[in-house]
Amino acid sequence: AVFHDYSVEFDAGMQIANINVSTAFEADKTYKVGVTEFTDNDGSIVKAAESQFTAMPAIALEGIEVANNSNWIPVSSSDVDITGKIRAVFSQPVEPSAVRLLNKNGDEITDPIITNKTSEKNKIIAFDYDGFYPMTNYSIAVSYTDAVTGQSVENSTVSFITSVPDHLVLADTTQPNSEDNPYLIYCAAALDQIREDEYLAQNYYFKQMADIDLNPEVYNTSANNTQDNGWKPFGRYDMDVGDYVGFIGHYDGNGMTVSNMKAHNLEDDTELMSLFGAIISGSVSNLTVENVDINGIMEVGAIAGYTENTSIDNCHSSGDIICQMELCGGLVGDVVMSVITNSDSSVNIECKSIDNPEHCCAGGLIGKAFYSSCIISCHATGNITGYKSTGGLIGYMESESRVSGCYTSNNSIEGSTNVGGLVGYMELDTMLDNCQSKNINLKASGPNAGGIAGECAGNLGFCHSSGHIEGQENVGGIIGDNNGYIGECYSNCEITGTDGVGGIIGSQNDFGYYDIDTLTFEGNVTGTNPSHTNEIVGYTYEPEPI
């Protein structure tokens, strides 16, 4: 066949002819080229011999490789770091014209940044890159000029998934940290890094991007997570300055989980055994702390031992906590001027208080709520064992704190004094409304046991309780001992006690007040002292309430 699609150019001396083709030669195919005849200066016709050649083989992309220390390895066999060097290796030298990055949908990405791309003709096109997102699918396509045809060609894309960084990384490395540009956390080592001075107390924003396993058998390369003691909390109580040193940043769990955290310390009561230890003027949201194993002295909880001026939203916890002294909660041990919303705990709690059982304050969610703290739309389902001030949700409420829209369910709650289905003790000026304790199993070895509150000196309304309540004196379906206000409440409990046993209120203090027309009881009441047993109020102290 004759190759027709060509043109011929001669040099000035008519000595050399260049033949240009617009249709590509086929690789490895033999072609003949020459002038079959031409006219010499004297007018004679001269025939020229034909010559032949074999077209060059097609350029092939042999692979995309990533730098790994001093070696290059195919990206198909290794994750690619978020910052580094990549090269494309071809079978023949090419003239690079462009490098395109594509996302998993095949759309071109202009960010991350590619720099230092090889520009000269070479078999290897190398370039630096920065700004890849971890655990993300990317593709690379390299454009070049085909040495045979002179045409611009783009190789087939090569895909890879970037690796998980073992350190904190900014979402956008070109911008400062902010709520829209947080430090990203992909692993335990990056989470551990928050405790460092440059991050802990800098009011930074953090976002967890993957589930993290803190089991010491999995993550034990840090001195902050050992086989014996487990996790070391970020914040603590500093004896030298007489105050808390804590996390003051903002942590978005992003719906992810921190699992299997062990935190044991029975020697130092300044270590607030929990994930964060102490949180001061910070926030934690959208985080699940799962299957904790905590054993500490005081101020212990799954998320934090102590919070001050802090918000916690949409956080969840499960596992087991043992507290040797006081202030123990399934989520937070000690809450001061803080707001906790839309959170829950299914942690089993044992507050031993061996040295001073009068100061226990154990709750399924919070040990103690102090100074106008608000607990809204939360619930707890764990089994709680304590001494004084033990509650299915909160052990102790004081100083104008408020609980609203919360509930407990299927709890086993045991304590000595002031034991409540939701709150062990409510101090003056506290408020609890629109709450429920569902199917509780509550037992008090001493006085003041109630389906909602063991002892109440605050305001309690619009609450319901159901389940079984067993105590000694002052046992009620809603309140064990009331010297505050109660109204709009309903109880359907099986209640047993000795003296002062009531379907709604066990005993009514002379400072307290109740609206009898808004109290309803449909359960059963059994008291050893029948004269101090009643379906609404078991016993009223003199004088009669106003």
Side-chain angles (χ1 to χ4, degrees), residues 278-480:
I279 306 174
I280 313 295
S281 300
S283 67
V284 180
S285 61
N286 310 314
L287 177 65
T288 296
V289 182
E290 182 180 82
N291 193 32
V292 300
D293 173 14
I294 298 175
N295 193 344
I297 298 176
M298 61 186 298
E299 290 182 299
V300 299
I303 297 285
Y306 177 85
T307 64
E308 180 180 326
N309 193 29
T310 290
S311 67
I312 294 178
D313 179 62
N314 193 30
C315 290
H316 319 278
S317 60
S318 65
D320 298 285
I321 292 179
I322 297 175
C323 178
Q324 302 296 326
M325 287 182 61
E326 59 180 316
L327 302 180
C328 176
L331 204 70
V332 182
D334 192 5
V335 175
V336 178
M337 294 184 292
S338 298
V339 177
I340 299 180
T341 54
N342 307 307
S343 300
D344 62 79
S345 172
S346 57
V347 172
N348 300 314
I349 292 176
E350 181 182 359
C351 189
K352 293 186 174 182
S353 294
I354 296 173
D355 296 330
N356 191 357
E358 291 298 306
H359 301 95
C360 182
C361 301
L365 192 79
I366 298 166
K368 183 178 181 181
F370 191 53
Y371 275 136
S372 302
S373 294
C374 291
I375 319 300
I376 302 171
S377 300
C378 297
H379 71 272
T381 60
N383 300 320
I384 318 299
T385 302
Y387 286 85
K388 188 174 183 179
S389 301
T390 302
L393 192 78
I394 302 173
Y396 196 104
M397 286 177 61
E398 64 176 313
S399 303
E400 300 182 356
S401 293
R402 178 182 178 183
V403 175
S404 180
C406 298
Y407 72 91
T408 58
S409 61
N410 300 314
N411 288 87
S412 171
I413 306 167
E414 296 188 17
S416 59
T417 304
N418 298 337
V419 184
L422 265 94
V423 181
Y425 181 80
M426 293 177 59
E427 196 182 61
L428 184 68
D429 295 328
T430 58
M431 180 178 293
L432 191 152
D433 67 275
N434 289 292
C435 294
Q436 297 183 56
S437 57
K438 305 175 181 179
N439 302 318
I440 58 169
N441 186 8
L442 185 149
K443 184 176 181 180
S445 60
N448 305 341
I452 297 294
E455 182 175 352
C456 176
N459 299 299
L460 190 155
F462 300 96
C463 293
H464 298 171
S465 66
S466 63
H468 178 79
I469 302 172
E470 179 182 347
Q472 302 302 311
E473 63 270 22
N474 309 336
V475 184
I478 299 294
I479 299 174

Side-chain angles (χ1 to χ4, degrees), residues 228-249:
D228 292 338
N229 295 329
W231 181 255
K232 182 181 177 66
F234 296 147
R236 66 194 308 273
Y237 186 83
D238 191 328
M239 296 292 290
D240 293 334
V241 300
D243 204 353
Y244 295 90
V245 176
F247 174 74
I248 69 170

Side-chain angles (χ1 to χ4, degrees), residues 15 18 65 228 234 438 458 463 468 511 522 525:
Q15 300 297 311
N18 295 318
E65 298 176 337
D228 292 338
F234 296 147
K438 305 175 181 179
C463 293
H468 178 79
F511 294 108
E522 294 184 353
V525 180

Side-chain angles (χ1 to χ4, degrees), residues 60-66 72-76 86-91 123-127 140 142 155-159:
L61 175 67
E62 295 184 343
I64 301 288
E65 298 176 337
V66 60
W72 290 91
I73 57 177
V75 297
S76 58
I86 286 180
R87 70 182 189 181
V89 181
F90 291 87
S91 59
K123 290 179 63 175
I124 296 175
I125 298 176
F127 52 90
I140 290 181
V142 180
N155 70 275
S156 299
T157 59
V158 176
S159 299

Side-chain angles (χ1 to χ4, degrees), residues 168 183 193-202 204 206:
L168 292 169
Y183 284 106
Q193 196 178 351
I194 293 177
R195 74 178 68 253
E196 298 175 6
D197 290 343
E198 61 181 297
Y199 300 107
L200 183 65
Q202 301 300 323
Y204 285 154
F206 302 86

